[in-house]
């Protein structure tokens, strides 16, 4: 199984390491030519969504990635990746891929000092560690979006078909169950 990990900015190496430890082959997506690979799934990592969106356009990767996601390639999006997928941002006028029918609040937990760690129930998995760094949260979801996890009444993880999106960084903790759930979806496709 071959997974493309967006590697233009952000916490991509941690995703790559975790997926490779689970047996996946990973391709770092840094330039348009990297998208020539046949990919079974995509990872949109945390980082700076504004910078990632800008770089994806400058590198002429944006439309190809959006089309692949819209056409059903499984995607795991964390933190900034969630913002890239969101159909609407409540506190920003930008829309990036817009493939996930949710409304997201950027930096909902504040700046870097507002970072925190909890262990919380995630539907279908159990209690998982969740590390939040300048994290967004999901204010509302559209039809057919399944809520997977909430923290303090805020939605922090969802599934929409084969799009998995979360506010936190599962790549920063030792638990591999979220990445395995994503790989299972890639395998089923």
């Amino acid at each position: 199984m071959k997974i493309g990990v967006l590697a233009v900015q952000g916490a991509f190496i941690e995703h790559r390491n975790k997926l490779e430890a689970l047996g996946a082959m990973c391709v770092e997506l840094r330039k348009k030519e990297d998208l020539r690979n046949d990919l079974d799934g995509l990872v949109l990592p945390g980082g700076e969504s504004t910078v990632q969106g800008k770089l994806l356009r400058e590198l002429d990767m944006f439309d190809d990635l959006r089309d692949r996601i819209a056409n059903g390639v499984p995607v795991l999006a964390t933190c900034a990746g969630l913002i890239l997928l969101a159909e609407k941002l409540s506190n920003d006028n930008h829309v990036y891929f817009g493939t996930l029918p949710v409304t997201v609040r950027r930096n909902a937990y504040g700046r870097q000092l507002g970072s925190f760690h909890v262990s919380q129930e995630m539907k279908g998995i159990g209690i998982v560690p969740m590390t939040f760094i300048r994290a967004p949260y999901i204010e509302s979801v559209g039809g057919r979006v399944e809520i997977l996890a909430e923290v303090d009444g805020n939605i922090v993880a969802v599934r929409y078909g084969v799009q998995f999106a979360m506010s936190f960084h599962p790549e920063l903790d030792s638990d591999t169950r979220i990445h395995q759930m994503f790989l299972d979806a890639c395998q089923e496709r």
Side-chain angles (χ1 to χ4, degrees), residues 1-3 17-26 180 183:
M1 186 172 348
K2 192 184 292 185
I3 306 298
N17 291 343
K18 192 163 274 197
L19 291 165
E20 287 177 343
L22 291 170
M25 184 178 130
C26 293
Q180 187 62 59
L183 290 176

Side-chain angles (χ1 to χ4, degrees), residues 105-118:
R105 181 166 207 60
R106 292 175 57 114
N107 296 324
Y109 293 104
R111 296 271 178 223
Q112 201 76 18
L113 293 175
S115 301
F116 64 100
H117 181 86
V118 298

Side-chain angles (χ1 to χ4, degrees), residues 18-110:
K18 192 163 274 197
L19 291 165
E20 287 177 343
L22 291 170
M25 184 178 130
C26 293
V27 175
E28 290 185 5
L29 305 176
R30 296 177 178 275
K31 55 192 182 302
K32 187 173 179 74
E33 296 78 44
D34 298 332
L35 294 171
R36 291 187 185 136
N37 285 287
D38 233 1
L39 301 171
D40 299 303
L42 294 168
V43 173
L44 303 177
E48 295 288 340
S49 59
T50 305
V51 173
Q52 289 179 8
K54 182 178 184 289
L55 288 171
L56 288 174
R57 289 192 192 284
E58 288 175 1
L59 296 167
D60 196 24
M61 297 170 69
F62 186 91
D63 291 336
D64 189 342
L65 284 171
R66 184 192 59 223
D67 292 347
R68 286 179 190 230
I69 295 165
N71 289 320
V73 170
V75 61
L76 174 65
T78 60
C79 200
L82 163 63
I83 292 169
L84 291 177
L85 288 182
E87 197 171 77
K88 183 177 181 198
L89 303 175
S90 65
N91 56 347
D92 191 329
N93 291 327
H94 287 90
V95 172
Y96 298 96
F97 297 137
T99 59
L100 181 65
V102 299
T103 299
V104 170
R105 181 166 207 60
R106 292 175 57 114
N107 296 324
Y109 293 104

